[in-house]
Amino acid sequence: MTSLFAQEIRLSKRHEEIVSQRLKLLQQMKSKFGEQNKDKASQIQAAEAALKRNLSLVKDIEAAEESLQTRLHLLAPPEVVSLETLYWASVEDYLPKWEQFLLGRAPHPIGVETQNEAENTIGNKAQ
């Protein structure tokens, strides 16, 4: 009987130790999750602020670009506007060939047209 009583006391103490350790771990987890939630909240807040700032910058840039385009077209003769349009069309045509090179992901494109071929292409588009 005494050995059962002693064993019961030992098990009871061990149970208290386990419950105490569990409580400590739960408190640690709670504080860690609280810190992580604070970090996430501050990251979300910073990301939202950056998004607002970026949207504002994009709007400002677009407004400036529109203002410059309006002024440019008011001052530029039709020949210049035509050349500008052809230039940007040419850039859009050649961009896929050069994009990977310009991003540093591929070597210089080998099959690029010579200057005469490019002039012929631009001349054909102008006609």
Side-chain angles (χ1 to χ4, degrees):
M1 183 75 146
T2 325
S3 77
L4 289 177
F5 184 69
Q7 187 177 7
E8 182 70 26
I9 290 173
R10 200 170 12 96
L11 288 174
S12 178
K13 286 182 181 179
R14 180 68 180 140
H15 180 265
E16 287 178 19
E17 289 173 4
I18 291 171
V19 169
S20 172
Q21 189 177 14
R22 179 180 178 269
L23 187 61
K24 259 193 237 177
L25 290 172
L26 286 173
Q27 288 174 347
Q28 287 175 355
M29 283 177 44
K30 187 177 180 181
S31 69
K32 186 144 191 134
F33 285 133
E35 290 173 11
Q36 287 177 347
N37 287 339
K38 286 179 186 176
D39 289 345
K40 274 186 186 177
S42 66
Q43 288 174 348
I44 289 171
Q45 191 176 20
E48 288 173 352
L51 178 63
K52 287 178 184 177
R53 183 186 68 242
N54 290 346
L55 290 175
S56 174
L57 289 172
V58 166
K59 285 180 184 178
D60 292 346
I61 290 171
E62 287 173 349
E65 181 181 14
E66 186 176 322
S67 172
L68 289 173
Q69 287 293 337
T70 303
R71 267 196 278 162
L72 177 67
H73 286 290
L74 291 176
L75 301 175
E79 296 86 12
V80 173
V81 173
S82 174
L83 284 174
E84 180 186 9
T85 305
L86 289 173
Y87 170 77
W88 286 112
S90 173
V91 168
E92 289 174 3
D93 288 344
Y94 285 94
L95 187 62
K97 294 178 184 177
W98 286 89
E99 185 173 17
Q100 294 301 316
F101 170 72
L102 294 172
L103 293 173
R105 297 180 186 157
H108 187 278
I110 294 175
V112 179
E113 293 180 359
T114 63
Q115 181 66 29
N116 290 336
E117 290 172 344
E119 289 173 356
N120 290 339
T121 304
I122 292 173
N124 291 337
K125 286 185 181 181
Q127 295 174 355

